[in-house]
């Protein structure tokens, strides 16, 4: 790849950001399609988010991905947001069109494509046990509600956050039953595990450096499916346990791939070379 005076700049805003796989994934895609573009990681301290977002315009950066801890706080700094952002309250992709910044959330579509590819399902009529109530969980709840899931048991370490999320989405999606549930409420947990078609971990539980919660997966029906958004490590404790029990399961690398592919398409208008992108992140 030759960086020239004409090269378009893309990147990711996060803090920390050195662990991100997005630079290798997007640069592989640019190379494959021979695009005069480069993707870099910007470690943006929360105090500098506003000036960094202005710099997208002043420095002519073509687009950025946005990750922890900026996904929500960047919204008021943008000129326009997509319908998915209005629903999730989080941005993971910004496109700069002649100084006009539009925020998108490609995690929603990334999640839907991932469960379709890996587990062969769409959310319609599913009963879902969902762990987490942070930014990733908001994208998952949006995807589930928009696509006809019937019940969501929302389980989170901090019950108040699960309650707030459930109440917000229940107002918007009256046909979906969303039940917040505390981790300590063992009776409710058991009941929801026994009826779940799909168990999703959208919390940080089990990611590198974070202890894994112990859930009684053996209570799940035999045909239940498990999706873990965590992709570092690849073989999380949750996925290993699901495999031991013979449950079909998949980890978050596919969601990372498809959210990235959608960002790429928003920025370039080209079909993302997903095989090439997958190769470099599934090392
Ligand atoms: P976030 O907004 O910071 O939310 C973190 C969530 O995890 C909260 O619900 C939090 O509960 C919970 N949590 C944190 N530590 C925990 C622990 N030790 N035990 C149990 N629960 C814990 O983060 P996020 O953006 O939602 O990301 C969550 C995970 O999803 C991360 O591992 C991230 O890498 C992954 N993710 C993957 C993709 C992908 O493409 N595959 C996309 C986005 C995110 P409290 O409310 O109690 O704090």
């Amino acid at each position: 790849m030759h960086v020239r005076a004409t090269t378009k700049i893309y990147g990711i805003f996060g803090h920390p950001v050195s662990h991100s796989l997005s630079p290798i994934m997007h640069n592989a895609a640019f190379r494959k399609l021979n695009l005069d573009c480069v993707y870099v990681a910007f470690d943006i301290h929360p105090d500098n988010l506003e000036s960094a977002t202005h710099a997208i315009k002043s420095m002519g950066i073509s687009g950025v991905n946005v990750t922890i801890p900026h996904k929500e706080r960047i919204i008021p700094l943008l000129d326009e947001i997509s319908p998915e952002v209005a629903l999730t309250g989080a941005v993971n992709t910004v496109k700069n069109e002649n100084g006009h910044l539009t925020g998108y959330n490609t995690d929603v579509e990334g999640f839907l494509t991932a469960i379709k590819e890996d587990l062969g399902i769409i959310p319609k009529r599913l009963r879902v046990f969902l762990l987490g109530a942070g930014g990733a969980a908001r994208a998952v709840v949006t995807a589930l509600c928009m696509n006809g899931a019937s019940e969501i048991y929302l389980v989170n370490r901090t019950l108040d956050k699960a309650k707030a999320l459930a109440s917000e989405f229940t107002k918007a999606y009256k046909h979906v039953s969303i039940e917040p549930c505390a981790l300590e409420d063992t009776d409710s947990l058991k009941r929801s595990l026994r009826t779940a078609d799909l168990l999703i971990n959208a919390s940080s539980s089990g990611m590198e450096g974070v202890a894994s919660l112990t859930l009684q997966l053996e209570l799940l029906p035999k045909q239940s499916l498990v999706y873990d958004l965590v992709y570092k490590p690849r073989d999380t404790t949750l996925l290993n346990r699901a495999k031991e029990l013979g449950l079909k399961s998949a980890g978050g690398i596919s969601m990372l791939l498809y959210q990235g592919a959608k960002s790429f398409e928003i920025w370039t208008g080209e079909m993302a070379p997903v095989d090439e992108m997958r190769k470099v992140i599934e090392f």
Side-chain angles (χ1 to χ4, degrees):
M1 182 188 310
H2 298 288
V3 177
R4 297 176 267 256
T6 52
T7 302
K8 288 187 174 172
I9 298 170
Y10 294 89
I12 180 163
F13 282 8
H15 182 73
V17 78
S18 57
H19 65 283
S20 174
L21 295 174
S22 293
I24 57 166
M25 180 167 72
H26 284 287
N27 284 320
F30 291 145
R31 264 196 310 275
K32 177 73 183 169
L33 298 194
N34 226 355
L35 299 177
D36 184 15
C37 302
V38 68
Y39 187 108
V40 289
F42 296 104
D43 192 332
I44 307 293
H45 187 276
D47 292 347
N48 298 327
L49 180 64
E50 188 167 349
S51 57
T53 306
H54 290 311
I56 298 175
K57 294 185 186 189
S58 59
M59 295 178 67
I61 294 169
S62 300
V64 291
N65 283 131
V66 182
T67 188
I68 295 173
H70 306 310
K71 284 183 172 184
E72 285 137 47
R73 282 191 51 232
I74 200 168
I75 294 177
L77 305 172
L78 304 175
D79 300 305
E80 193 181 335
I81 54 167
S82 72
E84 282 83 6
V85 172
L87 289 165
T88 57
V91 161
N92 78 333
T93 303
V94 175
K95 183 176 186 180
N96 178 9
E97 287 169 294
N98 304 315
H100 184 89
L101 303 185
T102 306
Y104 299 87
N105 188 312
T106 69
D107 282 336
V108 175
E109 191 172 318
F111 167 75
L112 288 168
T113 311
I115 60 167
K116 195 165 177 204
E117 290 278 313
D118 286 350
L119 301 176
I121 46 162
I122 56 168
K124 205 167 176 59
R125 285 194 283 275
L126 288 187
R127 284 167 300 189
V128 181
F129 182 105
L130 173 60
L131 191 58
R138 292 185 73 89
V140 170
V141 172
T142 303
L144 294 173
C145 287
M146 285 174 81
N147 290 278
S150 66
E151 289 172 39
I152 303 173
Y153 314 110
L154 201 51
V155 182
N156 195 44
R157 184 177 61 174
T158 310
L159 180 59
D160 280 350
K161 274 172 73 181
K163 280 184 176 166
L165 190 56
S167 131
E168 186 186 327
F169 277 79
T170 303
K171 276 184 206 130
Y173 292 95
K174 297 198 169 41
H175 61 283
V176 190
S177 152
I178 310 177
E179 202 183 306
C181 180
L183 270 169
E184 302 75 33
D185 186 349
T186 38
D187 285 344
S188 296
L189 281 191
K190 282 182 182 169
R191 187 169 39 84
S192 28
L193 282 167
R194 283 195 182 103
T195 54
D197 302 303
L198 171 64
L199 181 144
I200 302 168
N201 176 33
S203 80
S204 311
S205 159
M207 72 181 267
E208 220 165 64
V210 183
S212 188
L213 288 170
T214 310
L215 293 170
Q216 288 178 283
L217 293 200
E218 62 279 9
L219 296 178
L220 288 168
K222 289 277 163 284
Q223 73 283 2
S224 294
L225 305 164
V226 175
Y227 192 80
D228 194 344
L229 267 70
V230 172
Y231 54 83
K232 220 172 181 182
R234 301 295 152 82
D235 54 343
T236 61
T237 307
L238 177 71
L239 291 178
N240 285 336
R241 181 74 185 123
K243 274 178 212 141
E244 272 169 26
L245 292 165
L247 300 167
K248 191 169 177 183
S249 60
I253 201 79
S254 50
M255 177 171 164
L256 177 78
L257 170 67
Y258 291 115
Q259 63 77 30
K262 182 69 188 167
S263 300
F264 183 92
E265 289 170 8
I266 287 170
W267 290 328
T268 65
E270 304 273 352
M271 183 105 97
V274 283
D275 290 341
E276 207 64 22
M277 295 165 84
R278 191 198 314 269
K279 242 188 264 167
V280 293
I281 57 172
E282 275 184 354
F283 45 82

